[in-house]
Amino acid sequence: MSQTPHSNTKNKLEWTIFGLSCLLITGVVGALVWLGLNTEDGPAELEITLSKPVAENGRVIVPVLVKNSGRGVASNVQVVIIAHSGGTERQAEFSLDFVPRSSTRKGTVSFSGSQLPNELRWEVIGYSER
């Protein structure tokens, strides 16, 4: 009996999949290198969005969204929310550990009492750059 020796050649489907895999890997590595080289550093730009306050269980709760649209990373972010209602001013604050660039973080502040504020203001007291 004679047997034919096995050939080490690949068929067209195997070569096609190999070529597509190489192109995909090269594209991903190239994109990562390009992004790494072309990302500029800069300061963090923090934007605050306050949601509608809600009176609940004898407290006024205000959801807060912090967005970093800058190029830098902010850590230890200190945010103060000031509520004006009926001639009085109340203040609450919270902190966020880390706000990366192009990201958002959520927080909540609450004020005692059930009177909804007429006006809400916010202020970023400070943050650390990384």
Side-chain angles (χ1 to χ4, degrees):
M1 272 192 186
S2 92
Q3 294 182 345
T4 58
H6 291 289
S7 172
N8 286 336
T9 61
K10 297 180 188 265
N11 63 33
K12 290 181 181 182
L13 178 62
E14 291 173 320
W15 279 112
T16 302
I17 292 173
F18 173 74
L20 290 174
S21 299
C22 287
L23 284 173
L24 182 65
I25 291 170
T26 303
V28 169
V29 169
L32 290 174
V33 168
W34 184 83
L35 286 172
L37 294 175
N38 291 321
T39 301
E40 297 178 20
D41 288 333
E45 293 179 22
L46 300 174
E47 302 169 10
I48 308 292
T49 303
L50 303 176
S51 296
K52 184 179 178 180
V54 177
E56 190 175 281
N57 296 328
R59 302 200 59 79
V60 174
I61 298 171
V62 181
V64 182
L65 182 71
V66 179
K67 180 180 178 183
N68 183 357
S69 58
R71 294 182 177 159
V73 174
S75 60
N76 301 320
V77 179
Q78 299 292 319
V79 178
V80 173
I81 309 299
I82 303 160
H84 297 279
S85 58
T88 62
E89 182 176 285
R90 297 178 288 173
Q91 179 174 310
E93 68 179 72
F94 71 99
S95 63
L96 296 167
D97 292 334
F98 187 67
V99 185
R101 65 176 153 213
S102 302
S103 69
T104 58
R105 295 291 183 262
K106 294 179 182 179
T108 301
V109 295
S110 66
F111 300 97
S112 60
S114 58
Q115 182 180 5
L116 294 176
N118 300 331
E119 178 188 1
L120 289 169
R121 292 186 300 123
W122 60 268
E123 183 177 346
V124 176
I125 297 175
Y127 63 89
S128 302
E129 293 181 356
R130 285 193 176 192

